[in-house]
Amino acid sequence: MEKLREIKNGELYYNGFSLKKLAEEYGTPLKITFLDVISEHINSLKRSFNNAISSIGYKGKFIYLNANKANYGKEEIETAFLAGDGLETSSYYDLLLTQKMFEKNPDHRSKLIVSNGLKLKDYCDEIVNAYNKGLDIIDIIDDLNEYEYLKSKNLPIKVGFRVHLSSLYEAEVPDDRFGLLKDEIDYILNDIKNTKLILTTIHYHQRGFDYVEDKFKENLLKAFNFYLYAKSICDSVDSFDIGGGMPLPISEDFDYDSFALSTLSYLKELCIKNNVSMPNIIGENGKFSQKDSTVNIYKVVGVKNTGEYPWHIVNGSLLIALPEMYALGEPIMVTPISNLDKPIKPVRLAGITCDCDDVFFDREKGYFELPDAETNYIGCIGTGSYQNSMNGKGGVHHCLLPEEKDVIIYTKDGKLESKVRHELQSIEDIYNIINFK
Ligand SMILES: Cc1ncc(COP(=O)(O)O)c(C=O)c1O
């Protein structure tokens, strides 16, 4: 996988672009999304798995799905849809949007939809609707009510089931509420032959995974035992869905070729040992598809000397921009993007909201290393997944701060193009949302 970050002449380049130049060209606060990064990541992971498939003679396909929940930008989902093999949905509304995406791109109509999440009647009915339209959809059953409801439709809809995680790695995901318990799985495996439903897929989801090979394989094995078990009862089972949680960070030196090879070799070995056919591997990648595509850029616009280190205030809010970091402790790189050849001064960063928590610095060092220069820009690198889903798009934010100007850069017919998707949010936009006229 290509390196995305590079420092040249004291400036941070991302995906080949000087971030400082982009900041100067479009102004700040700015959110810039490189759509090509999405397709490149997808193509590159598919290549790694497909190479591994041919090199070891693995008898199944690798199926790349974009997990829409990571970013509901139209262009982001469309780019991932066109590059990948289908879309994963997590709610009724997500399935409506997904079907729209399929309608907009009829040449890709044969791609796969996999539907996850707890499903009430509206979501189940929409799955039936998608099936009736001839779309290739697999419903991943998350509870028995859903199973009974779908069964009552008397249609040969493809289904899978999600394995409840506490039967896998308890300590890591203590609050996981998804999936089926062993006795529920037993019930479905015994009952499904009396229905029209077709069981094809065993699913587990590895949440926010920091890749450690032994741990990954241990979890994989526990989940894969359910594939072996289901396959021994239902021969229609042909796919093992490993959910999201693809190893990150994707722009660093992780070797995806070796990862794909070792994962598939391991699964092949288990299948041979247990005398069952090798499943297709489905990946539902949200972060992997989207995270690296976006960078937020702010300018340092003020200084306050009320602390041990001077507070350097940026013209936006880090708290709003990086909800995953503030709420869940997910690391996101926050870094100066210019003057990187200048000496460093220790400061602390703060957003321009009134919130005391809207601050950023290295917690171990106690400060943030800012170049000693007149004008400084700060980049938040890798904001493409979950930040929008968590802080909302087109919303009303803390202190009524406007949303960043939103720009996309992409290749079309071999030519680089850019588009301002949204100007900096105006006070009129905000009045409209809150009906303040
Ligand atoms: C069922 C399922 N699949 C896929 C994903 C996407 O995970 P990630 O963004 O780690 O790739 C999630 C995330 O919550 C999920 O719940």
Side-chain angles (χ1 to χ4, degrees):
M1 197 164 286
E2 290 291 305
K3 273 230 175 291
L4 283 170
R5 279 181 283 122
E6 201 185 350
I7 294 175
K8 280 194 284 189
N9 306 323
E11 285 180 29
L12 181 62
Y13 280 69
Y14 195 77
N15 193 36
F17 288 81
S18 155
L19 293 181
K20 179 178 170 230
K21 283 209 180 72
L22 291 174
E24 287 171 346
E25 181 180 346
Y26 292 105
T28 57
L30 176 66
K31 182 174 246 193
I32 196 129
T33 299
F34 303 96
L35 296 178
D36 294 347
V37 171
I38 299 171
S39 36
E40 276 158 21
H41 278 359
I42 294 175
N43 290 333
S44 148
L45 193 70
K46 283 179 69 170
R47 224 174 10 250
S48 295
F49 271 89
N50 288 336
N51 287 344
I53 285 173
S54 11
S55 82
I56 62 166
Y58 187 86
K59 299 277 181 307
K61 288 185 288 188
F62 176 64
I63 299 170
Y64 190 113
L65 305 182
N66 179 63
N68 293 347
K69 70 200 94 193
N71 188 324
Y72 282 108
K74 171 178 161 272
E75 287 83 357
E76 284 86 337
I77 294 184
E78 190 155 43
T79 304
F81 178 51
L82 299 184
D85 303 306
L87 299 176
E88 184 260 353
T89 74
S90 51
S91 70
Y92 162 61
Y93 303 96
D94 193 352
L95 180 54
L96 293 179
L97 178 147
T98 292
Q99 291 178 86
K100 248 190 182 327
M101 191 56 77
F102 274 69
E103 279 160 29
K104 265 177 56 54
N105 295 283
D107 292 352
H108 295 257
R109 203 175 185 275
S110 61
K111 289 188 175 178
L112 180 63
I113 302 174
V114 168
S115 290
N116 278 303
L118 183 78
K119 296 174 204 83
L120 304 181
K121 187 173 174 305
D122 54 0
Y123 197 2
C124 290
D125 284 342
E126 206 48 51
I127 288 168
V128 173
N129 196 14
Y131 167 83
N132 283 332
K133 282 194 233 162
L135 294 173
D136 187 9
I137 185 162
I138 304 175
D139 171 39
I140 303 295
I141 294 167
D142 196 62
D143 83 342
L144 287 186
N145 291 333
E146 176 188 346
Y147 172 70
E148 298 297 347
Y149 186 72
L150 271 196
K151 176 173 118 177
S152 74
K153 298 288 165 188
N154 233 357
L155 289 168
I157 296 176
K158 289 198 263 181
V159 295
F161 61 75
R162 178 161 172 171
V163 178
H164 178 62
L165 278 193
S166 69
S167 41
L168 304 177
Y169 35 104
E170 208 160 336
E172 283 162 52
V173 193
D175 299 325
D176 182 69
R177 65 186 181 281
F178 293 100
L180 300 179
L181 299 169
K182 172 80 169 55
D183 56 346
E184 295 173 321
I185 291 173
D186 282 338
Y187 170 72
I188 291 182
L189 289 176
N190 286 319
D191 187 63
I192 202 160
K193 58 181 174 304
N194 307 318
T195 77
K196 284 216 163 146
L197 297 174
I198 306 167
L199 183 68
T200 62
T201 306
I202 310 308
H203 176 287
Y204 86 113
H205 167 63
Q206 186 129 228
R207 183 177 157 190
F209 198 69
D210 281 334
Y211 185 73
V212 178
E213 186 172 355
D214 290 351
K215 198 82 202 145
F216 176 81
K217 286 200 171 142
E218 193 185 318
N219 292 335
L220 190 81
L221 174 61
K222 287 181 188 162
F224 198 66
N225 280 332
F226 284 90
Y227 167 80
L228 297 172
Y229 177 47
K231 182 80 186 161
S232 71
I233 299 174
C234 271
D235 196 46
S236 53
V237 175
D238 62 7
S239 298
F240 181 54
D241 181 342
I242 61 176
M246 188 53 64
L248 294 167
I250 46 190
S251 49
E252 300 298 332
D253 287 332
F254 189 80
D255 182 349
Y256 287 91
D257 289 339
S258 308
F259 166 73
L261 192 63
S262 99
T263 303
L264 291 183
S265 305
Y266 186 54
L267 294 180
K268 179 180 173 185
E269 189 189 307
L270 289 169
C271 289
I272 291 175
K273 204 158 90 192
N274 290 280
N275 200 22
V276 296
S277 52
M278 293 171 229
N280 299 321
I281 305 300
I282 301 176
E284 306 168 346
N285 300 309
K287 268 196 181 143
F288 183 88
S289 308
Q290 304 290 348
K291 183 181 190 328
D292 273 358
S293 64
T294 306
V295 173
N296 291 27
I297 307 176
Y298 305 96
K299 189 174 180 181
V300 175
V301 288
V303 184
K304 285 269 299 177
N305 283 304
T306 44
E308 189 184 349
Y309 299 101
W311 293 105
H312 281 241
I313 319 284
V314 300
N315 60 349
S317 164
L318 300 164
L319 184 68
I320 301 169
L322 311 173
E324 261 211 318
M325 185 168 85
Y326 285 89
L328 304 175
E330 286 277 331
I332 290 181
M333 178 184 266
V334 178
T335 173
I337 58 167
S338 55
N339 305 311
L340 297 169
D341 46 2
K342 298 226 162 59
I344 296 297
K345 56 185 179 188
V347 308
R348 287 182 174 179
L349 292 181
I352 202 165
T353 61
C354 65
D355 201 307
C356 290
D357 290 319
D358 195 354
V359 297
F360 181 85
F361 50 92
D362 183 319
R363 294 285 158 177
E364 268 172 34
K365 291 185 180 144
Y367 55 85
F368 179 83
E369 295 184 342
L370 191 73
D372 196 357
E374 207 165 295
T375 306
N376 273 307
Y377 292 103
I378 304 296
C380 306
I381 314 286
T383 55
S385 60
Y386 297 106
Q387 309 316 303
N388 265 4
S389 326
M390 287 174 76
N391 66 17
K393 170 85 182 148
V396 177
H397 302 288
H398 206 320
C399 297
L400 294 193
L401 286 199
E403 276 177 32
E404 302 82 358
K405 185 167 184 166
D406 176 353
V407 173
I408 49 176
I409 297 183
Y410 52 99
T411 306
K412 190 172 174 200
D413 302 328
K415 267 184 38 204
L416 261 185
E417 305 213 357
S418 61
K419 183 164 123 190
V420 178
R421 261 197 306 205
H422 294 283
E423 291 293 343
L424 185 71
Q425 194 182 32
S426 68
I427 190 67
E428 282 73 27
D429 295 334
I430 296 172
Y431 289 159
N432 279 336
I433 297 169
I434 57 178
N435 211 12
F436 192 90
K437 306 239 168 79

